[in-house]
Amino acid sequence: MRVQFVLSEIGVGLRRNLTMTLAVVISVALSLALTGGALLVNKQVDAMKGYWYDKVEVSVYLCNKNDAATTPNCAKGPVTDDQKAEILSDLKKLPVVKKIYYETAEGAYKHYKEQFKSNKQLADSITPDQMEQSYQVKLKDPTKFAVVASAFNGRPGVQSVEDQRKVLENLFDLLNGLTKVAYVVLAFMLTVAMLLIINTVRVSAFSRRRETGIMRLVGASSFYIQMPFIMEAAFAGLVGAGLACVGLLGGRYFLIDAGLRLQDKIPLVSFIGWGPVVQVLPLVLLIGVVMPAIAAFIALRRYLKV
Amino acid sequence: MIRFDSVTKTYPKQNRPALRDVSLEIEKGEFVFLVGSSGSGKSTFLRLILREERTDTGLVHVLGKDLNRLSNWKVPQMRRQLGTVFQDFRLLPNKTVAENVAFALEVIGKPRGTIRKTVPEVLDLVGLAGKDDRMPGELSGGEQQRVAIARAFVNRPMLLIADEPTGNLDPQTSVGIMRLLDRINRTGTTVVMATHDQNIVDQMRKRVIELEKGRLVRDQSRGVYGYQH
């Protein structure tokens, strides 16, 4: 009886106030899609950072046997143990070097597989013997890349010296900037959504003042009187959150797999898979239900006498 | 049942108190008329009993509870033991007669079986048997007030508060409503009724409490209306 009664009250309330309900649904959907989108851009940035990105500044890649054909510096064949020992001791002598990690070809292969796990084609196109062993170097001063580069570029056995930052830094700056903009916009959107919900509840409470007045009179608990309003807001929020989820899934599909087909156009970038998108959805749904419910509760304290 | 101890109540932004030092006691099973001109404090008196308002000074006890010390979340429980009837009926126009009465039970979470059993009983009691499926708009004023009384009484309250229940009704219909309230009173329910209806008060010869400018000026058993307005 209680459940049925509350449900029918919610239905009546939402229909009576259809335009307002739609406004709530749309604003909640937009703000949550932005929230989810911003979170996913962050995850995308993380996915594009390789294993070493946050740990070191410079990678000194050593020649392997396949590099002989493609890299002039490796024409004499793969790096020898003597060359490796010499490079390591010279690295240690550099005052800017803080720490040196040695990565085997197998280790590099493992990290590569890990990074491109969502892109099977790309992950399978490489074999362990194509990977280079490397010294991953952490610097005391991250800007002093040139010191290491000039000392080791062109050395026998060194395939290349790479600045971890240089490759993706600008792109990451752009994406991080976009995320920040998204956060500002979504803060405004959430405010709009909250205000809309508060106003919806106010109108709803006013149009049902007769019912709530009688409920008060016959001794209905305040929980019972407020519940339909809160459920109404939570339900509208849930619908909005559902739309936001569809938007996020669709967004990933059309940006990466179909439509823009970024994965085909930029095959060397590791895009986020469905996993991270699906992981974001429960959070989006939770915010979508809880936030309107709280807004409704706040509005009721002001506009509904219990 | 009801006890007022030196109750004073002033509304915000008003100089004159709506009630000034009112003390009285109403026993279980009594039928009490509350008379006085508009603005004499009748409504405030009833609102204090319903705990819609609180006193500034003095104590109000209803059903053995000190309403000043009753916490907000316990107020609904207290109100379930009271029935309330108003001049304007306050029925829900989009619900049938039976649904209007059932509403009072639904919102306090009574089981469906109880509702199905008690609603026809109480409609029968107020003389509306067979009109369960009518809409309030199809009923006469007297019948609408009977629905309101059925709703107030369906939970078998200890105390029935009626605020000018005959104020919108013609004399003939009013007599019928008064007979009904009298019958409810005979089942043991205390009735407190604010009214302007001289004929009714004079005919019924019940206890009369008169307020004037917030003061208790008369408390008379088997009284009459007593002043011209």
Side-chain angles (χ1 to χ4, degrees):
Chain A
M1 164 101 342
R2 278 162 179 265
V3 174
Q4 199 186 343
F5 175 77
V6 171
L7 285 182
S8 75
E9 288 282 295
I10 295 170
V12 169
L14 288 178
R15 258 177 288 131
R16 177 156 33 198
N17 220 342
L18 197 59
T19 46
M20 208 72 124
T21 308
L22 278 178
V24 170
V25 166
I26 291 169
S27 60
V28 168
L30 278 178
S31 47
L32 288 180
L34 272 175
T35 312
L39 288 173
L40 288 178
V41 168
N42 278 341
K43 290 199 177 196
Q44 178 60 52
V45 167
D46 284 342
M48 286 163 82
K49 291 174 180 173
Y51 177 78
W52 291 105
Y53 185 87
D54 287 324
K55 300 181 184 69
V56 300
E57 284 86 27
V58 185
S59 307
V60 180
Y61 293 106
L62 305 175
C63 295
N64 70 14
K65 62 177 190 289
N66 295 324
D67 287 334
T70 52
T71 318
N73 201 40
C74 296
K76 285 172 192 153
V79 67
T80 63
D81 285 350
D82 286 349
Q83 285 170 335
K84 270 168 72 179
E86 198 190 322
I87 291 166
L88 182 60
S89 71
D90 284 356
L91 267 174
K92 280 180 179 161
K93 275 181 219 148
L94 282 178
V96 296
V97 170
K98 193 173 174 193
K99 200 159 182 192
I100 303 161
Y101 305 89
Y102 172 67
E103 188 183 46
T104 62
E106 287 73 32
Y109 180 69
K110 209 180 82 199
H111 291 143
Y112 176 85
K113 282 282 239 194
E114 180 64 24
Q115 188 182 359
F116 289 94
K117 64 174 184 282
S118 64
N119 188 348
K120 199 109 177 61
Q121 220 181 332
L122 203 56
D124 292 344
S125 66
I126 297 276
T127 54
D129 60 316
Q130 284 175 296
M131 302 304 289
E132 285 121 2
Q133 41 184 323
S134 62
Y135 288 115
Q136 304 287 343
V137 183
K138 175 131 192 83
L139 301 180
K140 282 179 186 141
D141 176 357
T143 58
K144 291 287 190 324
F145 163 74
V147 178
V148 185
S150 62
F152 290 93
N153 249 336
R155 259 218 182 180
V158 172
Q159 193 249 2
S160 63
V161 180
E162 228 169 64
D163 184 353
Q164 280 281 351
R165 309 278 126 176
K166 202 174 162 188
V167 195
L168 294 170
E169 192 82 312
N170 289 336
L171 180 59
F172 289 172
D173 281 349
L174 175 70
L175 289 177
N176 284 333
L178 284 178
T179 340
K180 286 198 183 95
V181 173
Y183 280 131
V184 172
V185 175
L186 87 84
F188 280 108
M189 287 299 304
L190 276 182
T191 312
V192 170
M194 294 283 270
L195 293 176
L196 273 172
I197 289 162
I198 288 173
N199 200 39
T200 311
V201 169
R202 184 168 86 169
V203 171
S204 199
F206 183 77
S207 64
R208 268 199 304 223
R209 64 195 184 287
R210 205 184 255 272
E211 279 92 336
T212 52
I214 294 166
M215 286 165 103
R216 236 156 51 74
L217 220 55
V218 300
S221 62
S222 53
F223 174 80
Y224 213 83
I225 299 175
Q226 292 177 342
M227 203 22 93
F229 296 96
I230 293 175
M231 297 285 280
E232 234 174 84
F235 182 76
L238 183 66
V239 173
L243 287 177
C245 290
V246 172
L248 288 175
L249 291 170
R252 189 212 169 270
Y253 181 72
F254 285 109
L255 280 178
I256 297 174
D257 293 340
L260 271 182
R261 301 206 331 279
L262 288 179
Q263 186 67 83
D264 291 351
K265 289 176 187 161
I266 323 174
L268 285 178
V269 169
S270 161
F271 284 101
I272 50 168
W274 291 107
V277 184
V278 173
Q279 274 170 24
V280 167
L281 301 187
L283 182 69
V284 166
L285 288 173
L286 188 73
I287 299 174
V289 172
V290 171
M291 188 209 68
I294 292 173
F297 186 72
I298 293 168
L300 288 174
R301 297 188 72 86
R302 245 190 102 178
Y303 300 115
L304 183 73
K305 210 177 155 196
V306 292
Chain B
M1 180 78 9
I2 299 174
R3 201 171 84 229
F4 276 54
D5 288 320
S6 336
V7 169
T8 299
K9 169 74 188 173
T10 310
Y11 288 107
K13 293 178 189 166
Q14 296 229 315
N15 298 326
R16 194 172 66 79
L19 280 184
R20 194 182 307 207
D21 197 25
V22 172
S23 298
L24 59 84
E25 186 151 5
I26 295 171
E27 302 290 341
K28 183 168 163 27
E30 273 195 275
F31 194 118
V32 179
F33 284 117
L34 187 61
V35 301
S37 53
S38 301
S40 61
K42 298 194 300 295
S43 295
T44 304
F45 185 88
L46 297 183
R47 290 173 66 80
L48 284 169
I49 295 174
L50 292 168
R51 209 347 194 96
E52 298 261 18
E53 304 288 345
R54 291 204 211 204
T55 63
D56 298 335
T57 59
L59 297 177
V60 176
H61 282 82
V62 174
L63 299 161
K65 291 196 180 67
D66 178 350
L67 295 195
N68 281 348
R69 289 169 60 183
L70 190 69
S71 52
N72 281 331
W73 65 274
K74 279 186 177 162
V75 171
Q77 285 296 338
M78 190 273 290
R79 287 191 184 141
R80 285 176 200 189
Q81 300 173 56
L82 312 181
T84 342
V85 179
F86 295 94
Q87 182 173 3
D88 56 0
F89 319 138
R90 302 202 185 169
L91 301 176
L92 298 174
N94 53 348
K95 289 188 190 291
T96 66
V97 167
E99 284 167 355
N100 261 286
V101 178
F103 184 79
L105 296 174
E106 277 166 1
V107 299
I108 59 172
K110 289 277 182 194
R112 194 191 284 258
T114 314
I115 295 173
R116 213 178 285 150
K117 193 164 102 27
T118 39
V119 170
E121 275 174 16
V122 78
L123 283 177
D124 192 34
L125 179 90
V126 300
L128 288 175
K131 302 206 168 168
D132 313 37
D133 295 331
R134 300 287 194 85
M135 301 306 276
E138 303 166 17
L139 301 178
S140 70
E143 287 172 322
Q144 289 190 42
Q145 191 59 293
R146 282 169 192 269
V147 179
I149 293 171
R151 183 180 65 196
F153 191 62
V154 69
N155 208 21
R156 307 286 155 162
M158 309 281 286
L159 173 62
L160 189 74
I161 307 289
D163 192 357
E164 301 197 30
T166 59
N168 277 353
L169 306 175
D170 61 62
Q172 204 65 37
T173 316
S174 300
V175 170
I177 294 295
M178 289 318 296
R179 286 213 184 102
L180 176 56
L181 290 177
D182 194 34
R183 203 152 96 234
I184 283 173
N185 177 234
R186 282 173 210 279
T187 66
T189 298
T190 311
V191 178
V192 178
M193 170 172 161
T195 187
H196 279 131
D197 196 325
Q198 182 171 0
N199 289 335
I200 284 172
V201 178
D202 290 347
Q203 271 171 31
M204 300 268 293
R205 287 324 211 58
K206 300 284 189 186
R207 180 178 173 189
V208 174
I209 292 167
E210 184 179 342
L211 295 171
E212 193 184 308
K213 291 178 182 164
R215 288 184 192 277
L216 177 67
V217 294
R218 180 161 61 109
D219 186 349
Q220 187 179 19
S221 57
R222 301 186 60 75
V224 291
Y225 193 70
Y227 71 95
Q228 300 298 318
H229 60 115

